[in-house]
Amino acid sequence: MRIRHIAIFSAAVLAGALAGSLVGPRPAEAVARELIELQRDVTSLLQGQKDLSTQVTQDNTVMKTLIGQSGDNVNKLTATMGSLQKSVQDVQANSGARLDTMSTQVQGLSDNLEEIKSRLGKLNQQLVDLQNTVQSLDAKISGAGAPAPATGLATPTSSTGTTKPISSAPPAGAPSADTLYSNGLRDITTGKYDLARSEFEDYLKFYADTDLASNAQFYLGEIFYKQKQYVDAVAAYDKVLTNYPKSFKLGPARLRKGMALLELGQKTPGVRELREVIKRFPGSDEDRLARAKLKELGVAVTATR
């Protein structure tokens, strides 16, 4: 637009000069001077046009460079977003397996603590029995008769709530209860599910009345669940709930039973089990996981009437 104005102005100046020369005669000196000034003006205008054209070309070059750089940045950002999205998808795909492994390891630690508590209870009872024996011997020696047995410590009970003997000898040739249980726990945490299942089944076969029998039964359910044998998993968890009403695995067993039912496509009974977890074990980890699963399913925590 500016070049066009300059051209129009130049034409007007040139026309004016010619018209002036045609209107009347002028001295040759004046005409020559005007022609020289006109030539100078035209030259100046042409130079300005050239400078303007150069500036426009440079501006276009700069704009092209900036646009190219912006395009490169957008492409890099797109590639970065693609990589980030893939990373997020990978994390989501692997998080379930990692959480599953961590959950099993935590349960293993809890079981070890429970086993320690059980052994402490046995030691306490043995101390009570030893104290009673010593008092009885003292009484016989002194001729005062046998004193009343020491009290204050409860007789250990099994996971079923029934009184069990302080110790029982395992069948001939069978591994000890500690060996079977420890091996089963180790093998399930390392992914050797078939071997762990065999060890826990043997534990239940030989030591069904011990404190950790309900744990062994629960881990059978876990093995079936991890192997996607959900029908067997539901049956194993049901045995925990039915056969061991005082087990500390009741919450986990009911939660996992609900999850297994959902995997089988049985949404209604699965949701019912999760709601029972929330009702029976408020504030527990199982309560939190059940609520999260119900939210994922878009189901209310409590049934509406």
Side-chain angles (χ1 to χ4, degrees), residues 111-179:
D111 291 347
N112 289 336
L113 290 175
E114 187 71 14
E115 183 178 4
I116 291 172
K117 288 168 60 179
S118 174
R119 291 180 178 179
L120 287 176
K122 293 176 182 179
L123 289 175
N124 285 336
Q125 183 61 39
Q126 289 173 354
L127 288 175
V128 171
D129 292 341
L130 181 60
Q131 182 180 357
N132 289 337
T133 301
V134 171
Q135 290 178 352
S136 177
L137 290 174
D138 288 342
K140 289 180 179 179
I141 292 172
S142 63
T151 59
L153 294 174
T155 302
T157 58
S158 69
S159 300
T160 61
T162 59
T163 302
K164 68 178 186 65
I166 296 174
S167 62
S168 58
S176 68
D178 290 343
T179 299

